[in-house]
Amino acid sequence: MIYSGSMLLVVAPSGAGKSSLVNALLKNDPTLQLSISCTTRAPRPGEENGREYNFLTREEFIARRDEGDFLEWAEVHGNFYGTSRSWLEGQMTHGKDVILDIDWQGARHIQRLIPQAICIFILPPSLKTLEDRLRKRGQDDEQTIQKRVAAAHEELTHLAEANYLVINDLFEAALFELRQIVSASRLRTIQQLARHTDLTKDLSGTDLGGA
Ligand code: 5GP
């Protein structure tokens, strides 16, 4: 099935500034909907159930996973994370543009299921900046930070799988680049054909496809 909405998968190692960029993108673009994942990780200070994540116990997560509730799920840093199948399919069927803050395993899985999904990898300008940002946000203990730095190395070996790379050195510049990718995604032929079936049929005299 071809969807008229965009699906943007944003991948980055922790500390690359992904959440801040995604939040800024959402603030200025009310047509973009953020997928709220389920996780077994404990809420960080300031996080609310249903806003950043749906926080579940391990047992609850496993039960929902076994019922087929997740389009994809992955274990990241020792916790489970999963994308709600019903929410995502509902949004896409209604032509909404959706954004998923996800890890590379989830992005790979979703691109196999939904090939029109676009994967954007956010990179820090250096490894040192990544470590500094993790320390500065003060959300994790030193052991967790070291785990996340090691995971970043592994994650970054997958960056060639992305469709776009954005280097988050200057925040505003990275945000501008992300906005350009969102705009371009909306103009892709595959989506325009799905969105403007009557127009393209009138103009070409033939049904060019789309959903
Ligand atoms: P954090 O615990 O820092 O919020 O997220 C850790 C990692 O899990 C991030 O890379 C984030 O993008 C990823 N993540 C969040 N939700 C999902 C999800 O639903 N599926 C997958 N595969 N990864 C997710």
Side-chain angles (χ1 to χ4, degrees):
M1 174 158 183
I2 305 300
Y3 298 104
S4 59
S6 296
M7 183 184 287
L8 303 145
L9 314 172
V10 187
V11 182
S14 334
K18 176 168 67 167
S19 303
S20 309
L21 281 170
V22 167
N23 288 337
L25 195 62
L26 288 165
K27 208 167 147 195
N28 291 297
D29 190 341
T31 59
L32 259 183
Q33 313 287 319
L34 176 70
S35 165
I36 311 291
S37 297
C38 293
T39 184
T40 60
R41 126 161 126 58
R44 296 194 181 115
E47 286 185 335
E48 264 178 39
N49 191 30
R51 193 180 63 192
E52 283 78 15
Y53 285 104
N54 295 311
F55 294 99
L56 304 180
T57 63
R58 244 177 140 78
E59 292 68 33
E60 285 168 337
F61 190 99
I62 289 167
R64 285 181 58 170
R65 182 195 66 187
D66 293 350
E67 282 163 15
D69 243 18
F70 299 129
L71 187 65
E72 65 75 37
W73 69 275
E75 188 167 359
V76 187
H77 311 311
N79 296 302
F80 292 151
Y81 295 83
T83 303
S84 161
R85 177 191 295 280
S86 52
W87 183 86
L88 202 61
E89 287 178 351
Q91 299 293 314
M92 295 301 284
T93 306
H94 290 98
K96 298 275 171 57
D97 296 327
V98 294
I99 187 158
L100 279 75
D101 175 333
I102 203 168
D103 88 318
W104 68 269
Q105 306 169 79
R108 182 191 270 182
H109 196 98
I110 288 188
Q111 278 198 307
R112 280 189 191 141
L113 295 174
I114 306 172
Q116 79 182 82
I118 293 172
C119 179
I120 307 164
F121 221 107
I122 313 273
L123 303 180
S126 69
L127 202 57
K128 164 99 176 56
T129 312
L130 187 92
E131 284 190 40
D132 289 350
R133 286 180 183 162
L134 282 173
R135 289 216 166 79
K136 240 187 246 159
R137 71 182 190 185
Q139 287 174 332
D140 300 303
D141 56 31
E142 189 55 33
Q143 199 191 358
T144 308
I145 289 173
Q146 287 313 321
K147 252 208 236 168
R148 283 174 186 259
V149 171
H153 279 295
E154 155 65 10
E155 211 151 19
L156 291 167
T157 63
H158 298 281
L159 60 86
E161 293 175 28
N163 302 106
Y164 294 95
L165 297 180
V166 170
I167 299 171
N168 183 17
D169 189 1
L170 294 174
F171 184 85
E172 287 303 328
L175 181 58
F176 177 73
E177 289 175 352
L178 266 182
R179 286 203 187 110
Q180 285 184 309
I181 296 169
V182 175
S183 300
S185 77
R186 291 178 172 143
L187 299 176
R188 289 203 307 178
T189 305
I190 195 169
Q191 285 168 219
Q192 289 285 62
L193 286 178
R195 200 177 287 127
H196 300 289
T197 38
D198 291 345
L199 172 69
T200 53
K201 195 172 173 186
D202 276 355
L203 292 174
S204 68
T206 177
D207 191 344
L208 296 169

